[in-house]
Amino acid sequence: MGLIDRFRRGSSGRTSKPARGGARTGSTRVRAADRVDEQHLHAWVTARRGVEGFVEPRTAVSDVTLLLVAHDGEWTRRRVPSVEWAHQFCNNYQVPSYDAAVVGIPQRMRDWNRRHKEQERRQDG
């Protein structure tokens, strides 16, 4: 048995079964979007102002996701059923939506992450 076969088969010598309720993407198994994801997005978008949506396409390791970014850079990301669903969700909440593969992610999100990382360092040190 080759080294790659050992990783592929795991310790039991058999490959694992797909995750229950999950979708299969190539050789990677991912959890499908569910009602909990939708409820989180609803609660998040209604509790913040200046929100924009960034629809991220399906990849080898993740299904379609919706990234919501508030005016101050605070953000959340959840799996969604489809690109169309994500844009419709944003339209329902009057939130502008963009294709993240085209426009990227906003600088204010990166700034928010940096600020919070610095705060954690100060609290730990």
Side-chain angles (χ1 to χ4, degrees), residues 19-117:
R20 185 174 292 177
R24 188 170 166 93
T25 322
S27 64
T28 304
R29 293 170 183 88
V30 295
R31 179 181 63 79
D34 59 20
R35 184 81 176 135
V36 174
D37 294 322
E38 184 179 347
Q39 291 169 345
H40 171 80
L41 292 170
H42 165 75
W44 202 91
V45 77
T46 56
R48 287 155 183 85
R49 63 184 177 88
V51 176
E52 292 179 311
F54 298 84
V55 182
E56 300 172 315
R58 185 177 186 171
T59 67
V61 295
S62 178
D63 216 345
V64 177
T65 56
L66 176 58
L67 172 67
L68 296 176
V69 183
H71 77 285
D72 61 355
E74 182 183 6
W75 60 276
T76 191
R77 175 184 285 124
R78 290 293 185 272
R79 290 177 183 91
V80 294
S82 69
V83 169
E84 296 79 18
W85 186 97
H87 286 293
Q88 186 60 50
F89 176 88
C90 290
N91 289 341
N92 290 344
Y93 290 96
Q94 298 179 344
V95 169
S97 62
Y98 309 98
D99 184 352
V102 174
V103 301
I105 60 171
Q107 183 63 44
R108 69 182 184 276
M109 178 182 155
R110 289 188 213 104
D111 294 342
W112 188 89
N113 286 340
R114 183 181 37 76
R115 284 192 310 271
H116 282 268
K117 195 173 191 176

